[in-house]
Coordinates of all heavy atoms in Angstrom, one line a residue:
M727 N 46.3 36.8 61.3 CA 45.4 37.8 61.7 C 45.1 38.7 60.4 O 46.1 39.2 59.8 CB 45.8 38.6 62.8 CG 44.9 39.7 63.3 SD 45.5 40.4 64.9 CE 44.6 41.9 64.9
T728 N 43.9 39.0 60.1 CA 43.5 39.8 59.0 C 43.7 41.3 59.4 O 43.2 41.7 60.4 CB 42.1 39.5 58.6 OG1 41.9 38.2 58.3 CG2 41.7 40.4 57.4
P729 N 44.3 42.1 58.5 CA 44.4 43.5 58.8 C 43.0 44.2 58.9 O 42.1 43.7 58.2 CB 45.2 44.1 57.7 CG 45.6 43.0 56.8 CD 44.9 41.7 57.2
A730 N 43.0 45.3 59.6 CA 41.7 46.0 59.7 C 41.4 46.6 58.3 O 42.3 46.9 57.5 CB 41.9 47.2 60.6
I731 N 40.1 46.7 58.0 CA 39.7 47.3 56.7 C 40.2 48.7 56.6 O 40.8 49.2 55.7 CB 38.2 47.2 56.5 CG1 37.8 45.7 56.4 CG2 37.7 48.0 55.3 CD1 36.3 45.5 56.4
I732 N 39.9 49.5 57.7 CA 40.3 50.9 57.8 C 41.0 51.1 59.2 O 40.4 50.8 60.2 CB 39.2 51.9 57.6 CG1 38.4 51.7 56.3 CG2 39.7 53.4 57.7 CD1 39.3 52.0 55.0
D733 N 42.2 51.7 59.2 CA 42.8 52.1 60.4 C 42.2 53.4 60.8 O 42.5 54.5 60.2 CB 44.3 52.2 60.2 CG 45.0 52.7 61.5 OD1 44.4 52.6 62.6 OD2 46.2 53.2 61.3
T734 N 41.3 53.4 61.7 CA 40.6 54.7 62.1 C 41.5 55.8 62.6 O 41.2 57.0 62.4 CB 39.4 54.4 63.1 OG1 39.9 53.8 64.2 CG2 38.3 53.6 62.4
A735 N 42.6 55.4 63.2 CA 43.5 56.4 63.7 C 44.1 57.2 62.5 O 44.3 58.4 62.5 CB 44.6 55.8 64.5
T736 N 44.5 56.5 61.4 CA 45.0 57.1 60.2 C 44.0 58.0 59.6 O 44.3 59.1 59.2 CB 45.5 56.0 59.2 OG1 46.6 55.3 59.8 CG2 46.1 56.7 58.0
F737 N 42.8 57.5 59.5 CA 41.7 58.3 58.9 C 41.4 59.5 59.7 O 41.2 60.6 59.1 CB 40.4 57.4 58.7 CG 39.4 58.1 57.8 CD1 39.5 58.2 56.5 CD2 38.4 58.8 58.4 CE1 38.6 58.8 55.7 CE2 37.4 59.4 57.7 CZ 37.5 59.5 56.3
T738 N 41.3 59.4 61.0 CA 41.1 60.5 61.9 C 42.2 61.5 61.8 O 41.9 62.8 61.7 CB 40.9 60.0 63.3 OG1 39.8 59.1 63.4 CG2 40.7 61.2 64.3
E739 N 43.4 61.1 61.7 CA 44.6 62.0 61.5 C 44.4 62.8 60.2 O 44.7 64.0 60.1 CB 45.9 61.2 61.5 CG 47.1 62.1 61.4 CD 48.4 61.4 61.5 OE1 48.5 60.3 62.0 OE2 49.4 61.9 61.0
L740 N 44.0 62.1 59.1 CA 43.8 62.8 57.8 C 42.7 63.9 58.0 O 42.9 65.0 57.5 CB 43.4 61.8 56.8 CG 43.0 62.4 55.4 CD1 44.1 63.1 54.7 CD2 42.4 61.3 54.5
Q741 N 41.6 63.5 58.7 CA 40.5 64.5 58.9 C 41.0 65.7 59.7 O 40.7 66.8 59.4 CB 39.3 63.8 59.6 CG 38.5 62.9 58.7 CD 37.4 62.3 59.4 OE1 37.5 61.8 60.5 NE2 36.2 62.3 58.7
D742 N 41.8 65.4 60.8 CA 42.3 66.4 61.6 C 43.3 67.4 60.9 O 43.3 68.6 61.1 CB 43.0 65.9 62.9 CG 42.1 65.2 63.8 OD1 40.8 65.4 63.7 OD2 42.5 64.4 64.7
T743 N 44.1 66.8 60.0 CA 45.1 67.5 59.3 C 44.5 68.3 58.1 O 44.8 69.5 58.0 CB 46.2 66.6 58.7 OG1 46.8 65.9 59.8 CG2 47.3 67.3 58.0
A744 N 43.7 67.6 57.3 CA 43.1 68.3 56.1 C 41.8 68.9 56.3 O 41.3 69.7 55.5 CB 43.0 67.2 55.0
G745 N 41.1 68.5 57.4 CA 39.7 69.0 57.6 C 38.8 67.9 57.1 O 39.0 67.3 56.1
A746 N 37.7 67.8 57.8 CA 36.7 66.7 57.5 C 36.2 66.8 56.1 O 36.0 65.9 55.4 CB 35.6 66.6 58.6
E747 N 35.8 68.1 55.7 CA 35.2 68.3 54.4 C 36.2 68.0 53.3 O 35.8 67.3 52.3 CB 34.8 69.8 54.3 CG 34.0 70.0 53.1 CD 33.4 71.5 53.0 OE1 32.9 71.9 54.1 OE2 33.6 72.1 52.0
F748 N 37.4 68.4 53.4 CA 38.4 68.1 52.4 C 38.8 66.6 52.4 O 38.9 66.0 51.3 CB 39.7 68.9 52.6 CG 40.7 68.8 51.5 CD1 40.3 69.1 50.2 CD2 42.0 68.3 51.7 CE1 41.2 69.0 49.1 CE2 42.9 68.2 50.7 CZ 42.5 68.5 49.4
A749 N 38.8 66.0 53.6 CA 39.1 64.6 53.6 C 38.0 63.8 52.9 O 38.2 62.9 52.2 CB 39.2 64.1 55.1
A750 N 36.7 64.3 53.0 CA 35.6 63.6 52.3 C 35.8 63.8 50.8 O 35.5 62.9 50.0 CB 34.3 64.2 52.8
E751 N 36.2 65.0 50.4 CA 36.5 65.2 49.0 C 37.6 64.2 48.5 O 37.5 63.7 47.4 CB 36.9 66.6 48.7 CG 35.8 67.6 48.8 CD 36.3 69.1 48.6 OE1 37.2 69.3 47.7 OE2 35.8 70.0 49.3
L752 N 38.6 64.1 49.3 CA 39.7 63.2 48.9 C 39.2 61.7 48.8 O 39.6 61.0 47.8 CB 40.9 63.2 49.9 CG 41.7 64.5 49.9 CD1 42.6 64.5 51.1 CD2 42.4 64.8 48.6
V753 N 38.4 61.3 49.7 CA 37.7 60.0 49.6 C 37.0 59.9 48.3 O 37.1 58.9 47.6 CB 36.9 59.7 50.9 CG1 36.0 58.5 50.6 CG2 37.7 59.6 52.1
G754 N 36.2 60.9 48.0 CA 35.4 60.9 46.8 C 36.3 60.7 45.5 O 36.0 59.9 44.7
T755 N 37.4 61.4 45.5 CA 38.3 61.2 44.4 C 38.9 59.8 44.3 O 39.0 59.2 43.3 CB 39.4 62.3 44.5 OG1 38.8 63.6 44.5 CG2 40.4 62.2 43.4
F756 N 39.3 59.3 45.5 CA 39.8 58.0 45.6 C 38.8 56.9 45.1 O 39.1 56.0 44.3 CB 40.2 57.6 47.0 CG 40.7 56.2 47.2 CD1 41.9 55.7 46.6 CD2 39.9 55.3 47.9 CE1 42.3 54.4 46.8 CE2 40.3 54.0 48.1 CZ 41.5 53.6 47.6
L757 N 37.5 57.1 45.5 CA 36.5 56.2 45.1 C 36.2 56.2 43.6 O 35.8 55.3 43.0 CB 35.2 56.4 45.9 CG 35.3 56.2 47.4 CD1 34.0 56.5 48.1 CD2 35.8 54.7 47.7
E758 N 36.5 57.4 43.0 CA 36.4 57.5 41.5 C 37.6 56.9 40.8 O 37.4 56.2 39.7 CB 36.3 58.9 41.1 CG 35.0 59.6 41.5 CD 34.9 61.1 41.1 OE1 35.8 61.5 40.4 OE2 34.1 61.8 41.7
E759 N 38.8 57.1 41.3 CA 40.0 56.7 40.7 C 40.4 55.2 40.9 O 41.0 54.6 40.0 CB 41.2 57.6 41.1 CG 41.0 59.0 40.6 CD 42.1 60.0 41.0 OE1 42.9 59.6 41.8 OE2 42.0 61.1 40.5
A760 N 40.1 54.7 42.1 CA 40.5 53.3 42.4 C 40.0 52.3 41.4 O 40.7 51.4 41.0 CB 40.2 53.0 43.8
P761 N 38.7 52.4 41.0 CA 38.2 51.4 40.0 C 39.0 51.4 38.7 O 39.2 50.4 38.1 CB 36.8 51.8 39.8 CG 36.4 52.4 41.1 CD 37.6 53.2 41.5
E762 N 39.5 52.6 38.3 CA 40.3 52.8 37.2 C 41.7 52.1 37.4 O 42.2 51.4 36.5 CB 40.5 54.2 36.8 CG 39.2 54.9 36.4 CD 39.4 56.5 36.3 OE1 40.5 57.0 36.4 OE2 38.3 57.1 36.2
M763 N 42.2 52.2 38.6 CA 43.5 51.5 38.9 C 43.3 50.0 38.9 O 44.1 49.2 38.4 CB 44.0 51.9 40.3 CG 44.5 53.3 40.3 SD 45.0 53.7 42.0 CE 44.4 55.4 42.2
L764 N 42.1 49.5 39.4 CA 41.8 48.1 39.3 C 41.7 47.6 37.9 O 42.2 46.5 37.5 CB 40.6 47.8 40.1 CG 40.7 48.0 41.6 CD1 39.3 48.0 42.2 CD2 41.6 46.9 42.3
A765 N 41.1 48.4 37.0 CA 40.9 48.1 35.6 C 42.3 48.1 34.9 O 42.6 47.2 34.1 CB 40.0 49.1 34.9
E766 N 43.2 49.0 35.3 CA 44.5 49.1 34.8 C 45.3 47.8 35.2 O 46.1 47.3 34.4 CB 45.2 50.3 35.3 CG 46.7 50.4 34.8 CD 46.8 50.6 33.3 OE1 45.8 50.8 32.6 OE2 48.0 50.5 32.8
L767 N 45.1 47.3 36.4 CA 45.8 46.1 36.8 C 45.4 44.9 35.9 O 46.2 44.1 35.5 CB 45.5 45.8 38.3 CG 46.3 46.6 39.3 CD1 45.6 46.4 40.7 CD2 47.7 46.2 39.3
R768 N 44.1 44.8 35.7 CA 43.5 43.7 34.9 C 44.1 43.8 33.4 O 44.5 42.8 32.9 CB 42.0 43.7 34.9 CG 41.4 43.2 36.1 CD 40.0 42.7 35.8 NE 39.6 41.9 37.0 CZ 39.8 40.7 37.2 NH1 40.5 40.0 36.4 NH2 39.3 40.1 38.3
A769 N 44.0 45.1 32.9 CA 44.5 45.3 31.5 C 46.0 44.9 31.4 O 46.4 44.3 30.5 CB 44.2 46.7 31.1
A770 N 46.8 45.4 32.3 CA 48.2 45.2 32.3 C 48.5 43.7 32.4 O 49.4 43.2 31.7 CB 48.9 46.0 33.4
R771 N 47.8 43.0 33.3 CA 48.0 41.6 33.4 C 47.6 40.9 32.1 O 48.4 40.0 31.7 CB 47.1 41.0 34.6 CG 47.3 39.5 34.7 CD 46.5 38.9 35.9 NE 46.7 37.5 35.9 CZ 45.9 36.7 35.3 NH1 44.8 37.1 34.6 NH2 46.1 35.4 35.3
G772 N 46.5 41.3 31.5 CA 46.1 40.7 30.3 C 47.1 40.9 29.1 O 47.2 40.0 28.3
E773 N 47.8 42.0 29.2 CA 48.8 42.3 28.1 C 50.2 41.9 28.5 O 51.1 42.0 27.7 CB 48.8 43.8 27.9 CG 47.4 44.3 27.3 CD 47.3 45.8 27.3 OE1 48.3 46.5 27.4 OE2 46.1 46.3 27.2
G774 N 50.4 41.4 29.7 CA 51.7 41.0 30.2 C 52.6 42.2 30.4 O 53.8 42.0 30.3
A775 N 52.0 43.3 30.7 CA 52.8 44.6 30.9 C 53.2 44.7 32.4 O 52.5 45.3 33.2 CB 52.0 45.8 30.4
V776 N 54.3 44.1 32.7 CA 54.7 44.0 34.1 C 54.9 45.4 34.7 O 54.5 45.6 35.9 CB 56.0 43.1 34.2 CG1 56.6 43.1 35.6 CG2 55.8 41.7 33.7
D777 N 55.6 46.3 34.0 CA 55.9 47.6 34.6 C 54.6 48.4 34.9 O 54.4 49.0 35.9 CB 56.8 48.4 33.7 CG 58.2 47.9 33.8 OD1 58.6 47.2 34.7 OD2 59.0 48.2 32.8
R778 N 53.6 48.3 33.9 CA 52.3 49.0 34.1 C 51.6 48.4 35.3 O 51.0 49.1 36.1 CB 51.5 48.8 32.9 CG 51.7 50.0 31.9 CD 50.8 49.9 30.7 NE 49.4 49.5 30.9 CZ 48.7 48.6 30.1 NH1 49.3 48.1 29.0 NH2 47.5 48.3 30.3
F779 N 51.7 47.0 35.4 CA 51.0 46.3 36.5 C 51.6 46.8 37.8 O 50.9 47.1 38.7 CB 51.2 44.8 36.3 CG 50.5 44.0 37.3 CD1 49.2 43.6 37.1 CD2 51.1 43.6 38.5 CE1 48.5 42.9 38.1 CE2 50.4 42.9 39.5 CZ 49.1 42.5 39.2
R780 N 52.9 46.8 37.9 CA 53.6 47.2 39.1 C 53.2 48.7 39.5 O 53.0 49.0 40.7 CB 55.1 47.0 39.0 CG 55.8 47.2 40.3 CD 57.3 46.9 40.2 NE 57.9 46.9 38.9 CZ 58.4 45.8 38.3 NH1 58.3 44.7 38.9 NH2 58.9 45.9 37.1
R781 N 53.2 49.6 38.5 CA 52.9 51.0 38.8 C 51.5 51.2 39.3 O 51.2 51.9 40.2 CB 53.1 51.9 37.5 CG 54.5 52.3 37.3 CD 54.7 53.4 36.2 NE 54.1 53.0 34.9 CZ 54.8 52.3 34.0 NH1 56.0 52.0 34.2 NH2 54.2 52.0 32.9
A782 N 50.5 50.4 38.7 CA 49.1 50.5 39.1 C 49.0 50.0 40.5 O 48.3 50.6 41.3 CB 48.2 49.8 38.1
A783 N 49.6 48.9 40.8 CA 49.6 48.3 42.2 C 50.2 49.3 43.2 O 49.7 49.5 44.3 CB 50.3 47.0 42.2
H784 N 51.3 49.9 42.8 CA 52.0 50.9 43.7 C 51.0 52.1 43.9 O 50.9 52.5 45.1 CB 53.3 51.4 43.0 CG 53.9 52.5 43.8 ND1 54.6 52.3 44.9 CD2 53.9 53.9 43.6 CE1 55.1 53.4 45.4 NE2 54.6 54.4 44.6
S785 N 50.4 52.6 42.9 CA 49.5 53.8 43.1 C 48.3 53.4 44.0 O 47.9 54.2 44.9 CB 48.9 54.2 41.7 OG 50.0 54.7 40.9
L786 N 47.7 52.2 43.8 CA 46.6 51.8 44.6 C 47.1 51.6 46.1 O 46.4 52.1 47.0 CB 46.0 50.5 44.1 CG 44.8 50.0 44.8 CD1 43.6 51.1 44.7 CD2 44.3 48.7 44.2
K787 N 48.3 51.1 46.2 CA 48.8 50.9 47.6 C 49.0 52.2 48.3 O 48.5 52.4 49.4 CB 50.1 50.1 47.5 CG 50.8 50.0 48.9 CD 52.3 49.7 48.7 CE 53.0 50.9 48.2 NZ 54.5 50.8 48.1
S788 N 49.6 53.2 47.6 CA 49.9 54.5 48.2 C 48.7 55.2 48.5 O 48.5 55.8 49.6 CB 50.8 55.3 47.2 OG 52.0 54.7 47.0
N789 N 47.7 55.2 47.6 CA 46.4 55.9 47.9 C 45.7 55.3 49.0 O 45.1 56.0 49.8 CB 45.6 56.0 46.6 CG 46.2 56.9 45.6 OD1 46.9 57.8 45.9 ND2 45.8 56.7 44.3
S790 N 45.7 54.0 49.1 CA 45.0 53.2 50.2 C 45.6 53.6 51.5 O 44.9 53.8 52.5 CB 45.1 51.7 49.9 OG 44.5 51.4 48.7
Q791 N 46.9 53.7 51.6 CA 47.6 54.0 52.8 C 47.2 55.4 53.3 O 47.1 55.6 54.5 CB 49.1 53.9 52.6 CG 49.6 52.5 52.5 CD 51.1 52.5 52.1 OE1 51.6 53.3 51.5 NE2 51.8 51.4 52.5
T792 N 47.0 56.3 52.4 CA 46.6 57.7 52.8 C 45.3 57.7 53.7 O 45.2 58.4 54.6 CB 46.3 58.5 51.6 OG1 47.5 58.6 50.8 CG2 45.8 59.9 51.9
F793 N 44.4 56.8 53.4 CA 43.1 56.7 54.1 C 43.1 55.7 55.2 O 42.1 55.5 55.8 CB 42.0 56.4 53.1 CG 41.9 57.5 52.0 CD1 42.4 57.2 50.7 CD2 41.4 58.7 52.3 CE1 42.3 58.2 49.8 CE2 41.3 59.7 51.3 CZ 41.8 59.4 50.0
G794 N 44.2 55.0 55.4 CA 44.2 53.9 56.4 C 43.5 52.6 55.9 O 43.1 51.8 56.8
A795 N 43.4 52.5 54.6 CA 42.8 51.2 54.1 C 43.8 50.1 54.1 O 44.4 49.8 53.1 CB 42.2 51.5 52.7
T796 N 44.1 49.6 55.3 CA 45.2 48.7 55.5 C 45.1 47.4 54.7 O 46.1 47.0 54.2 CB 45.4 48.5 57.0 OG1 44.2 47.9 57.5 CG2 45.8 49.7 57.7
E797 N 44.0 46.8 54.7 CA 43.8 45.5 54.0 C 44.1 45.7 52.5 O 44.9 45.0 51.9 CB 42.4 45.0 54.2 CG 42.2 43.7 53.5 CD 40.8 43.2 53.6 OE1 39.8 44.0 53.7 OE2 40.6 42.0 53.5
L798 N 43.5 46.7 52.0 CA 43.6 47.0 50.5 C 45.1 47.4 50.2 O 45.6 46.9 49.2 CB 42.7 48.2 50.1 CG 42.7 48.6 48.7 CD1 42.3 47.4 47.8 CD2 41.7 49.8 48.5
A799 N 45.7 48.2 51.0 CA 47.1 48.6 50.8 C 48.0 47.4 50.9 O 48.9 47.2 50.1 CB 47.5 49.6 51.8
A800 N 47.8 46.5 51.8 CA 48.6 45.3 52.0 C 48.5 44.4 50.8 O 49.5 43.9 50.3 CB 48.2 44.5 53.3
L801 N 47.3 44.2 50.3 CA 47.1 43.3 49.1 C 47.7 44.0 47.9 O 48.4 43.3 47.1 CB 45.6 43.1 48.9 CG 45.0 42.2 49.9 CD1 43.4 42.2 49.8 CD2 45.5 40.8 49.8
A802 N 47.6 45.3 47.7 CA 48.2 46.0 46.6 C 49.7 45.9 46.7 O 50.4 45.7 45.7 CB 47.7 47.4 46.5
R803 N 50.3 46.0 47.9 CA 51.7 45.9 48.1 C 52.2 44.5 47.7 O 53.2 44.4 47.0 CB 52.1 46.2 49.5 CG 53.5 46.1 49.8 CD 53.8 46.4 51.3 NE 55.3 46.6 51.5 CZ 56.1 45.5 51.8 NH1 55.6 44.3 51.9 NH2 57.3 45.7 52.0
E804 N 51.5 43.5 48.0 CA 51.8 42.1 47.6 C 51.9 42.0 46.1 O 52.8 41.4 45.6 CB 50.8 41.1 48.2 CG 50.9 40.9 49.6 CD 49.9 39.9 50.2 OE1 49.2 39.2 49.3 OE2 49.6 39.9 51.4
L805 N 51.0 42.6 45.4 CA 51.0 42.6 43.9 C 52.1 43.4 43.4 O 52.8 43.0 42.4 CB 49.6 43.0 43.4 CG 48.5 42.1 43.6 CD1 47.2 42.8 43.1 CD2 48.7 40.8 42.9
E806 N 52.4 44.5 44.0 CA 53.5 45.4 43.5 C 54.8 44.7 43.6 O 55.6 44.7 42.7 CB 53.5 46.7 44.4 CG 54.7 47.6 44.1 CD 54.8 48.7 45.0 OE1 54.2 48.7 46.1 OE2 55.6 49.7 44.7
L807 N 55.0 44.0 44.7 CA 56.3 43.4 45.0 C 56.4 42.0 44.5 O 57.5 41.5 44.2 CB 56.6 43.4 46.5 CG 56.7 44.8 47.1 CD1 57.0 44.7 48.6 CD2 57.8 45.7 46.4
G808 N 55.3 41.3 44.4 CA 55.3 39.9 44.0 C 55.2 39.6 42.5 O 55.4 38.5 42.1
G809 N 55.0 40.7 41.7 CA 55.0 40.4 40.3 C 53.6 40.1 39.8 O 52.7 40.0 40.5
M810 N 53.6 39.8 38.5 CA 52.3 39.5 37.8 C 51.8 38.2 38.3 O 52.5 37.1 38.2 CB 52.6 39.5 36.4 CG 51.4 39.4 35.5 SD 50.8 41.0 35.0 CE 52.2 41.6 34.0
P811 N 50.5 38.1 38.8 CA 50.0 36.9 39.2 C 49.6 36.0 38.0 O 49.4 36.5 36.9 CB 48.7 37.3 40.0 CG 48.3 38.6 39.4 CD 49.6 39.2 39.0
T812 N 49.6 34.7 38.2 CA 49.3 33.8 37.1 C 47.9 33.4 37.0 O 47.4 32.8 36.1 CB 50.2 32.5 37.3 OG1 49.9 31.9 38.6 CG2 51.7 32.8 37.2
S813 N 47.1 33.8 38.1 CA 45.6 33.6 38.0 C 44.9 34.9 38.4 O 45.5 35.9 38.8 CB 45.3 32.5 39.0 OG 45.3 33.0 40.4
D814 N 43.6 34.8 38.3 CA 42.8 36.0 38.6 C 42.5 36.1 40.1 O 42.1 37.2 40.6 CB 41.4 35.9 37.9 CG 41.4 36.3 36.5 OD1 42.4 37.0 36.1 OD2 40.5 35.9 35.7
T815 N 42.8 35.1 40.9 CA 42.5 35.1 42.3 C 43.0 36.3 43.1 O 42.3 36.9 43.8 CB 43.0 33.8 43.0 OG1 42.4 32.7 42.3 CG2 42.6 33.7 44.4
P816 N 44.3 36.7 42.9 CA 44.8 37.9 43.7 C 44.0 39.2 43.3 O 43.8 40.0 44.1 CB 46.2 38.0 43.3 CG 46.6 36.6 42.9 CD 45.4 36.0 42.2
L817 N 43.6 39.3 42.0 CA 42.9 40.5 41.6 C 41.5 40.5 42.1 O 41.0 41.5 42.5 CB 42.9 40.6 40.1 CG 44.3 40.9 39.5 CD1 44.2 40.9 38.0 CD2 44.9 42.2 40.0
L818 N 40.9 39.3 42.2 CA 39.5 39.2 42.7 C 39.6 39.5 44.2 O 38.7 40.2 44.7 CB 39.0 37.8 42.5 CG 38.7 37.4 41.0 CD1 38.3 35.9 40.9 CD2 37.5 38.3 40.5
T819 N 40.6 39.0 44.9 CA 40.7 39.3 46.3 C 40.9 40.8 46.5 O 40.3 41.4 47.5 CB 41.9 38.5 46.9 OG1 41.7 37.1 46.7 CG2 42.1 38.8 48.4
L820 N 41.7 41.4 45.7 CA 42.0 42.9 45.8 C 40.7 43.7 45.5 O 40.4 44.6 46.2 CB 43.0 43.3 44.8 CG 43.5 44.7 44.8 CD1 44.3 45.0 46.0 CD2 44.3 45.0 43.5
E821 N 39.9 43.2 44.5 CA 38.6 43.9 44.2 C 37.6 43.8 45.4 O 36.9 44.8 45.7 CB 38.1 43.4 42.9 CG 38.9 43.8 41.7 CD 38.6 43.0 40.5 OE1 37.8 42.1 40.5 OE2 39.1 43.4 39.4
T822 N 37.6 42.7 46.0 CA 36.7 42.5 47.2 C 37.2 43.4 48.3 O 36.4 44.0 49.0 CB 36.8 41.0 47.6 OG1 36.3 40.2 46.6 CG2 35.9 40.8 48.9
A823 N 38.5 43.5 48.5 CA 39.0 44.4 49.6 C 38.7 45.8 49.3 O 38.4 46.6 50.2 CB 40.5 44.2 49.7
Y824 N 38.7 46.2 48.0 CA 38.4 47.5 47.6 C 36.9 47.8 47.9 O 36.6 48.9 48.5 CB 38.6 47.8 46.1 CG 38.0 49.1 45.7 CD1 38.5 50.3 46.1 CD2 36.8 49.1 45.0 CE1 37.8 51.5 45.8 CE2 36.1 50.2 44.6 CZ 36.6 51.5 45.1 OH 36.0 52.6 44.8
T825 N 36.0 46.9 47.6 CA 34.6 47.0 47.9 C 34.4 47.3 49.4 O 33.6 48.2 49.8 CB 33.8 45.8 47.4 OG1 34.0 45.7 46.0 CG2 32.3 46.0 47.7
R826 N 35.1 46.5 50.2 CA 34.9 46.7 51.7 C 35.5 48.0 52.1 O 34.9 48.7 52.9 CB 35.6 45.5 52.4 CG 34.9 44.2 52.4 CD 35.4 43.2 53.4 NE 36.8 42.9 53.1 CZ 37.3 41.8 52.5 NH1 36.4 41.0 52.0 NH2 38.5 41.6 52.3
A827 N 36.6 48.4 51.6 CA 37.3 49.7 52.0 C 36.4 50.8 51.5 O 36.2 51.8 52.3 CB 38.7 49.8 51.4
A828 N 35.8 50.7 50.3 CA 35.0 51.8 49.8 C 33.8 52.0 50.7 O 33.4 53.2 51.0 CB 34.6 51.5 48.4
E829 N 33.1 50.9 51.1 CA 32.0 51.1 52.0 C 32.4 51.7 53.3 O 31.7 52.6 53.8 CB 31.4 49.7 52.2 CG 30.7 49.1 51.0 CD 30.3 47.6 51.2 OE1 30.4 47.1 52.4 OE2 29.8 47.0 50.2
A830 N 33.5 51.3 53.9 CA 33.9 51.8 55.2 C 34.3 53.3 55.0 O 34.0 54.1 55.9 CB 35.1 51.0 55.7
L831 N 35.0 53.6 53.9 CA 35.4 55.0 53.8 C 34.2 55.9 53.5 O 34.2 57.1 54.1 CB 36.4 55.2 52.6 CG 37.8 54.6 52.8 CD1 38.6 54.6 51.5 CD2 38.5 55.5 53.9
R832 N 33.2 55.5 52.8 CA 32.0 56.3 52.6 C 31.3 56.5 54.0 O 30.9 57.7 54.3 CB 31.0 55.5 51.7 CG 31.3 55.7 50.3 CD 30.2 55.0 49.4 NE 30.6 54.9 48.1 CZ 31.1 53.7 47.5 NH1 31.1 52.6 48.3 NH2 31.5 53.7 46.3
A833 N 31.2 55.5 54.8 CA 30.6 55.6 56.1 C 31.4 56.6 57.0 O 30.8 57.5 57.7 CB 30.5 54.3 56.8
L834 N 32.7 56.5 57.0 CA 33.6 57.3 57.8 C 33.6 58.8 57.4 O 33.6 59.7 58.2 CB 35.0 56.8 57.9 CG 35.3 55.6 58.7 CD1 36.7 55.0 58.4 CD2 35.1 55.9 60.2
S835 N 33.6 59.0 56.1 CA 33.7 60.4 55.6 C 32.4 61.1 55.7 O 32.3 62.3 55.6 CB 34.2 60.4 54.1 OG 33.3 59.8 53.3
H836 N 31.3 60.4 55.8 CA 30.0 61.0 56.0 C 29.5 61.0 57.4 O 28.3 61.3 57.6 CB 28.9 60.4 55.0 CG 29.3 60.6 53.6 ND1 29.4 61.9 53.0 CD2 29.7 59.7 52.6 CE1 29.8 61.8 51.7 NE2 30.0 60.5 51.5
G837 N 30.4 60.6 58.3 CA 30.1 60.6 59.7 C 28.9 59.9 60.2 O 28.3 60.1 61.1

């Protein structure tokens, strides 16, 4: 079974706790920073920098979990714990999951 793109209960809890306006700001920041994390994953893989790769995957996982982006978080966790992939496929899958999560988060944060 494929994980949900966004766990709406987690996202709603964030909005209830932080306020809808601040949650929307946090989403905006995430949407600005996540592409940089994805670029860092690619760069680290290209350079064979395992620790940098793991840190970038960890950051993406943690940030994704904050918003309930379960699919994205799960894929980032696999990269964090699984080590450097030998092909581009896992990163392409992660980027696709980010695109889906970003669209869903934009829709949720703008109600």
